[in-house]
């Protein structure tokens, strides 16, 4: 079995682990395990880098054509797997733009089912957001244009089709959306050379090589815990850096799995950016916790002629091998990377409370399942608010929920239960709320969303989202 060759599978899902109170910095009986395991692992080929999306310049706008389609891909052995992809067989190209760019997208749906493409992390009006209201019927195209009006960050895109998001993302629809500005030049920024996107996903395969999505309600509620890990769509690839310092833009593109990432040689790295942008200063860390939908950027300094592994502490698995030979020297990181992110509080900030809970076959916010015809909240544009997200722990179901808000960046103010880590500072759009925790965020919206095209807030465990842990709000 290809899996046993190099993967060690923990039967307890990472989501469940976190919910039981294990703290990411404590590690999980990991020491000494990884070394032997990774040596045995099979050679799987070089780390694929998603190609940059091509564009044409029309009337001062960068114009991108995306086609969402069904395909097949060879992940292992001689078997082919049925997949979905964007302009390719699995995942999609990286969209790379600058702050201030005017962009235009033509998204064609060549699937045999409805879909949408949501720009996760972008500050765009509700009608351009690609949520469940901007459905692209089979065979049709969605045209949307907007201005890039936010700081440099690692955002991404994925479907947001009502009840089908989990399935469509699992099949392979996801890609990076990178925004650059002057501050991003303080970090390594040569795409594919010293600026490397890494989307991490887990999958289960059936004996005949097909993806095995949800097979039970337990999967939906507790997380599916795939036993095969993909980095940029490849199983256990090898990355060969050419430069001493490399920026890794990590996206947890998994449906439900939470990772605690680090290196098997326990080396430190600099955390330099979170979801919505570059942090004021780099922070040295050895482990980072990344939940579904979250992004974190790190800069790693490699040594010549070395071999190490990018590992997940939670599943005790090597995700990617790293092998270095000669390395070009790169300049040190500046002490200050970017202007700090903070939201000036408005007078008499409104407090909104969101209670997340799980029931039999349902996932709820404020005791309600998502309804596409109901507006749950109405927010005033340009006014800051405190959103309090409470994960109501029940004895039956102790789950962690990564809570995502569309159309904005927020600041995490406090969390009862665990500290706010360096990789959660700065501008965020997704925050992990583990069982029993309460998180306060300060949020402000500068873009509009009317009741025909409202924004979403939801759990980014995509099965929870599809089970109803989502709500809609307007910004006017
Ligand atoms: Cu959830």
């Amino acid at each position: 079995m290809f899996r046993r060759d190099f993967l060690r599978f923990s039967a307890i899902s990472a989501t469940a682990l976190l919910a039981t109170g294990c703290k990411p910095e404590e590690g999980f009986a990991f020491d000494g395990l990884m070394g032997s395991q990774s040596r045995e692992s099979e050679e799987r080929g070089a780390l694929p880098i998603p190609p940059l999306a091509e564009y044409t310049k029309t009337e001062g706008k960068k114009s991108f054509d995306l086609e969402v389609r069904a395909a097949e891909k060879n992940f292992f052995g001689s078997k082919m797997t049925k997949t979905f992809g964007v302009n390719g067989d699995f995942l999609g190209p990286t969209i790379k733009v600058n702050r201030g760019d005017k962009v235009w997208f033509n998204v064609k749906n060549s699937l045999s089912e409805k879909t949408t493409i949501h720009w996760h992390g972008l500050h765009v009006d509700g009608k351009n957001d690609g949520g469940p209201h901007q459905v692209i019927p089979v065979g049709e195209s969605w045209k949307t244009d907007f201005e890039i009006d936010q700081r440099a960050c690692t955002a991404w895109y994925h479907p947001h089709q009502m009840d089908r998001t989990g399935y469509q993302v699992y099949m392979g629809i996801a890609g990076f959306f990178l925004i650059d500005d002057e501050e991003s030049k303080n970090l390594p920024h040569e795409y594919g050379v010293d600026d490397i996107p890494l989307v991490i996903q887990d999958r289960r395969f059936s004996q005949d090589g097909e993806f095995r999505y949800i097979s039970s309600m337990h999967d939906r509620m507790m997380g599916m815990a795939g036993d095969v890990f993909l980095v940029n769509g490849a199983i256990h690839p090898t990355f060969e850096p050419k430069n001493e310092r490399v920026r890794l833009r990590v996206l947890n593109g998994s449906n439900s799995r939470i990772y605690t990432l680090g290196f098997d040689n326990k080396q430190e790295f600099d955390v330099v950016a979170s979801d919505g942008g570059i942090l004021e200063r780099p922070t040295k860390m050895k482990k980072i916790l990344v939940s579904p939908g979250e992004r974190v950027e790190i800069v790693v300094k490699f040594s010549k002629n070395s071999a190490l592994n990018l590992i997940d502490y939670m599943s005790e698995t090597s995700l990617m091998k790293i092998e270095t030979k000669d390395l070009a020297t790169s300049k040190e990181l500046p002490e200050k990377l970017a202007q700090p992110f903070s939201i000036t509080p408005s007078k008499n900030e409104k407090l909104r409370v969101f209670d997340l809970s799980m029931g039999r076959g349902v996932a709820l916010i404020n005791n309600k399942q998502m309804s596409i015809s109901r507006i749950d909240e109405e927010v005033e544009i340009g006014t800051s608010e405190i959103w309090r997200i409470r994960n109501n722990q029940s004895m039956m179901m102790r789950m962690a929920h990564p809570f995502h808000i569309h159309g904005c960046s927020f600041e995490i103010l406090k969390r009862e239960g665990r500290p706010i880590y360096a990789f959660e500072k700065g501008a965020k759009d997704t925050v992990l709320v583990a069982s029993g925790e309460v998180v306060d965020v300060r949020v402000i919206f500068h873009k509009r969303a009317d009741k025909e095209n409202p924004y979403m807030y939801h759990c980014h465990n995509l099965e929870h989202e599809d089970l109803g842990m989502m709500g809609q709000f307007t910004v006017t």
Side-chain angles (χ1 to χ4, degrees):
M1 279 302 293
F2 73 98
R3 290 169 199 169
R4 233 169 279 147
D5 291 344
F6 57 90
L7 294 173
R8 185 190 157 85
F9 173 56
S10 161
I12 310 164
S13 86
T15 322
L17 255 180
L18 196 79
T20 57
C22 287
K23 294 192 171 64
E25 67 272 27
E26 285 169 0
F28 304 102
F30 163 78
D31 293 336
L33 250 170
M34 194 59 52
S36 56
Q37 177 190 332
S38 61
R39 305 288 180 279
E40 285 164 13
S41 64
E42 215 172 297
E43 189 53 60
R44 287 281 167 177
L47 172 75
I49 303 293
L52 289 175
E54 289 172 18
Y55 61 86
T56 53
K57 273 254 182 175
T58 335
E59 294 163 22
K61 292 181 180 177
K62 288 181 177 172
S63 164
F64 294 87
D65 282 309
L66 300 179
E67 186 193 12
V68 184
R69 60 199 193 200
E72 280 191 326
K73 182 178 163 70
N74 174 235
F75 286 97
F76 59 90
S78 57
K79 289 175 175 161
M80 296 301 283
T81 305
K82 288 189 189 72
T83 55
F84 291 167
V86 182
N87 298 0
D89 57 11
F90 188 71
L91 302 174
T94 296
I95 295 156
K96 198 168 185 296
V97 296
N98 298 312
R99 184 176 191 176
D101 278 353
K102 291 185 172 66
V103 295
W104 189 90
F105 287 96
N106 183 31
V107 186
K108 179 161 197 239
N109 177 10
S110 296
L111 298 175
S112 57
E113 60 181 278
K114 290 179 286 188
T115 191
T116 82
I117 290 292
H118 164 57
W119 318 111
H120 181 135
L122 261 65
H123 303 178
V124 294
D125 289 336
K127 67 179 186 332
N128 299 319
D129 189 48
H133 293 264
Q134 288 88 52
V135 174
I136 318 172
V138 175
E140 293 190 22
S141 292
W142 178 53
K143 292 176 173 53
T144 182
D145 69 299
F146 47 85
E147 187 176 337
I148 304 297
D149 184 20
Q150 65 192 93
R151 291 164 59 168
C153 69
T154 298
W156 65 300
Y157 60 91
H158 63 77
H160 219 301
Q161 177 62 36
M162 209 37 202
D163 306 322
R164 295 288 281 175
T165 298
Y167 172 72
Q168 293 185 354
V169 172
Y170 204 84
M171 289 300 285
I173 312 176
F176 283 92
F177 198 122
L178 310 182
I179 300 175
D180 287 321
D181 63 12
E182 280 307 306
E183 289 178 331
S184 36
K185 292 177 187 153
N186 289 333
L187 296 168
H189 57 274
E190 199 180 336
Y191 184 80
V193 178
D194 60 6
D195 180 354
I196 307 289
L198 295 179
V199 50
I200 299 172
Q201 299 173 306
D202 62 332
R203 292 291 184 272
R204 292 190 302 207
F205 287 87
S206 64
Q207 288 299 326
D208 56 358
E210 301 299 346
F211 285 144
R212 197 157 59 83
Y213 188 53
I214 297 293
S215 52
S216 67
M217 185 50 77
H218 178 274
D219 285 350
R220 286 184 196 275
M221 307 289 278
M222 302 303 286
M224 295 182 301
D227 53 357
V228 176
F229 294 85
L230 304 176
V231 181
N232 294 349
I235 300 171
H236 203 235
T238 301
F239 172 51
E240 294 183 18
K242 299 281 175 283
N243 296 43
E244 188 181 50
R245 281 190 177 78
V246 177
R247 171 191 193 174
L248 300 176
R249 301 179 185 248
V250 176
L251 158 65
N252 182 347
S254 305
N255 283 34
S256 63
R257 188 184 269 278
I258 298 167
Y259 301 91
T260 297
L261 302 177
F263 297 94
D264 60 345
N265 64 353
K266 302 200 169 72
Q267 81 170 72
E268 281 189 328
F269 47 80
D270 285 295
V271 176
V272 296
S274 57
D275 296 338
I278 302 170
L279 299 170
E280 188 182 7
R281 291 170 202 287
T283 305
K284 295 244 184 269
M285 300 208 78
K286 287 185 176 174
K287 292 179 188 176
I288 45 168
L289 179 71
V290 197
S291 70
E294 283 188 302
R295 288 85 69 209
V296 59
E297 296 182 29
I298 62 175
V299 172
V300 192
K301 190 183 177 193
F302 295 111
S303 325
K304 289 179 186 175
N305 302 313
S306 60
L308 61 158
N309 287 274
L310 173 70
I311 57 168
D312 170 35
Y313 283 89
M314 291 230 192
S315 58
E316 301 178 344
T317 308
S318 168
L319 303 176
M320 179 174 86
K321 284 205 289 186
I322 299 162
E323 287 176 0
T324 69
K325 295 189 179 88
D326 252 354
L327 295 171
T329 39
S330 25
K331 63 175 191 197
E332 287 193 27
L333 290 180
E335 242 172 70
K336 183 164 176 174
L337 297 172
Q339 289 302 313
F341 171 81
S342 74
I343 299 167
T344 310
S346 305
K347 283 204 182 93
N348 306 317
E349 279 184 313
K350 192 176 171 71
L351 172 73
R352 289 179 206 265
V353 179
F354 299 88
D355 279 324
L356 314 181
S357 62
M358 306 282 291
R360 264 189 184 281
V362 289
L364 309 168
I365 300 180
N366 293 336
N367 283 315
K368 291 176 290 188
Q369 239 181 327
M370 161 76 178
S371 162
I372 199 148
S373 55
R374 182 189 68 228
I375 299 296
D376 298 280
E377 308 288 337
E378 295 176 357
V379 174
E380 194 183 324
I381 194 164
T383 309
S384 79
E385 300 191 347
I386 307 290
W387 285 25
R388 176 167 295 162
I389 308 136
R390 303 198 294 212
N391 183 343
N392 291 345
Q393 174 174 353
S394 82
M395 288 314 286
M396 243 181 63
M397 208 84 69
R398 306 184 76 190
M399 293 296 303
H401 302 296
F403 192 82
H404 171 50
I405 310 175
H406 287 209
C408 71
S409 294
F410 57 71
E411 184 186 354
I412 306 177
L413 298 179
K414 62 175 181 185
R415 170 165 49 207
E416 288 171 24
R418 283 178 300 137
I420 298 159
Y421 305 107
F423 47 81
E424 297 178 304
K425 301 243 164 84
K428 291 282 292 171
D429 56 55
T430 307
V431 59
L432 186 66
V433 191
S435 182
E437 289 181 352
V438 181
V439 176
D440 280 5
V441 302
R442 175 170 285 128
V443 61
I444 190 163
F445 299 90
H446 296 293
K447 302 290 171 190
R448 284 175 194 279
D450 59 23
K451 60 182 191 307
E452 277 71 44
N453 295 286
Y455 286 136
M456 305 292 132
Y457 52 81
H458 62 91
C459 178
H460 222 286
N461 174 318
L462 299 180
E463 284 65 53
H464 292 177
E465 174 191 327
D466 285 340
L467 283 172
M469 195 175 275
M470 178 154 70
Q472 311 195 95
F473 66 105
T474 57
V475 177
T476 52

